[in-house]
Amino acid sequence: MASAGLGLSAVFGPATFCAVTGGSRGLGRSIAVLLAERLGEGSRLVLTGRSLQGLQDTKRQVEEKCPNQLEVKLVTGDMGDSTAYPALFYDIFADTGPGAFQNALIIHNAASLGDMGKKAAEHSDPEILNKYYATNLTSVIALTAKFMEVFSGSNVRRTVVNISSAVAVEPLAYQSLYCSGKAARNMFFKVMAEEEPDVRVLSYSPGPMATDMLQAVRSCGDKKVEDRFNAMESQGLILSPDASAKHMCTLLEEDKFKSGAFLDVFGRFSL
């Protein structure tokens, strides 16, 4: 358990509601396990994802870290199906009546890459585009709105974290959907921070990590992309999900960032 000197009582503390999307593997799993060591008595950790097996594995690891004091709830669903949002959001926020929690934290980690076989000018199917942006943008906006509705009282400290990427500001070939989705999310949360001064908002770029997603990007067939990540690997800049999750938790614990900021794990930019 980290010390109170890091500001735990202000961010994680007792009676904290925390939801992590995309919690079945990779960075989402690492975040969940690290939070298990920090969330205080009476807290609830809600993990969402498409793979129930993956979520159950994460829950097992969480409970090994924090077997007694933390309630862990699993919610499966497809964020690409907007008709399922009402039921999905109900499950995420069930039994969160007034006064149940002192702190509320949501971490938007879930994301998908989209079709990496197409250049930007080749994405011509509106149905595929709508499905992609529903998963990666619309669901995030709608879920944030529900979070704000559920935790509308001034007596609850609210924090919203958007897991972003350097490609929100640095174009990457064959990643036009992923880049544009991350860029749109960043600006949405910058506007939200302006409009909601009582809410702490952070967009965090976790850096390239040794995950299935990075392997898919590196295998896209574009030599410049492959060379870029090979160079980063040779410089030791491919992180473990645990290392990046730890840095994010430190940012939240120190609580020094400007609300709405876009921060990078390597400190390459602060926007």
Side-chain angles (χ1 to χ4, degrees), residues 3 7 30 55 61 79 84 98 113 140 146 148 155 190-191 250 253 256 271:
S3 68
S30 293
L55 291 176
Q61 293 184 33
M79 290 292 190
L113 291 168
V140 174
K146 188 63 177 180
M148 293 292 289
N155 60 329
K190 280 187 175 295
V191 173
T250 298
E253 288 170 340
K256 296 177 181 177
L271 304 173

Side-chain angles (χ1 to χ4, degrees), residues 101-125:
F101 298 99
Q102 298 176 23
N103 307 285
L105 168 65
I106 188 165
I107 300 175
H108 293 291
N109 169 68
S112 61
L113 291 168
D115 186 349
M116 294 183 293
K118 290 184 170 64
K119 296 179 180 179
E122 297 172 340
H123 288 289
S124 58
D125 189 327

Side-chain angles (χ1 to χ4, degrees), residues 9-265:
S9 60
V11 182
F12 302 116
T16 295
F17 173 93
C18 178
V20 180
T21 68
S24 62
R25 60 180 178 169
L27 181 64
R29 173 173 291 170
S30 293
I31 289 171
V33 173
L34 282 171
L35 288 175
E37 302 172 339
R38 290 162 165 79
L39 296 173
E41 185 177 354
S43 294
R44 178 187 302 164
L45 178 61
V46 180
L47 305 174
T48 79
R50 288 176 293 181
S51 168
L52 178 59
Q53 179 63 55
L55 291 176
Q56 289 171 336
D57 290 343
T58 301
K59 181 180 180 181
R60 231 178 344 262
Q61 293 184 33
V62 166
E63 291 177 339
E64 288 173 2
K65 291 284 185 180
C66 186
N68 299 316
Q69 70 180 31
L70 183 63
E71 175 192 355
V72 182
K73 181 177 181 180
L74 308 180
V75 177
T76 58
D78 180 7
M79 290 292 190
D81 179 9
S82 59
T83 63
Y85 290 175
L88 184 60
F89 295 175
Y90 177 84
D91 288 343
I92 292 171
F93 297 108
D95 303 318
T96 53
F101 298 99
Q102 298 176 23
N103 307 285
L105 168 65
I106 188 165
I107 300 175
H108 293 291
N109 169 68
S112 61
L113 291 168
D115 186 349
M116 294 183 293
K118 290 184 170 64
K119 296 179 180 179
E122 297 172 340
H123 288 289
S124 58
D125 189 327
E127 186 174 341
I128 292 175
L129 293 173
N130 287 338
K131 175 78 170 180
Y132 181 82
Y133 288 113
T135 301
N136 293 279
L137 180 60
T138 304
S139 67
V140 174
I141 294 173
L143 182 56
T144 300
K146 188 63 177 180
F147 173 84
M148 293 292 289
E149 175 189 323
V150 170
F151 298 106
S152 59
S154 59
N155 60 329
V156 180
R157 189 185 196 279
R158 295 165 293 175
T159 303
V160 178
V161 179
N162 166 43
I163 299 300
S164 187
S165 170
V167 302
V169 293
E170 299 173 357
L172 188 65
Y174 294 94
Q175 297 293 316
S176 57
L177 298 186
Y178 188 67
C179 293
S180 59
K182 292 296 189 182
R185 280 167 58 156
N186 278 16
M187 184 51 69
F188 173 82
F189 285 110
K190 280 187 175 295
V191 173
M192 179 179 169
E194 290 291 323
E195 296 171 341
E196 305 289 347
D198 295 332
V199 180
R200 299 290 284 148
V201 181
L202 172 66
S203 288
Y204 172 64
S205 171
M209 295 172 290
T211 62
D212 293 341
M213 180 177 279
L214 177 62
Q215 186 57 42
V217 172
R218 295 178 70 170
S219 303
C220 72
D222 184 86
K223 189 175 186 307
K224 289 182 179 178
V225 172
E226 293 173 8
D227 289 346
R228 173 176 173 172
F229 287 107
N230 287 339
M232 295 188 79
E233 185 172 32
S234 68
Q235 298 168 41
L237 298 178
I238 304 296
L239 303 177
S240 70
D242 287 351
S244 189
K246 184 176 181 180
H247 185 77
M248 185 208 74
C249 287
T250 298
L251 289 174
L252 293 176
E253 288 170 340
E254 292 178 346
D255 199 27
K256 296 177 181 177
F257 59 88
K258 178 183 176 182
S259 189
F262 177 32
L263 302 182
D264 174 63
V265 66

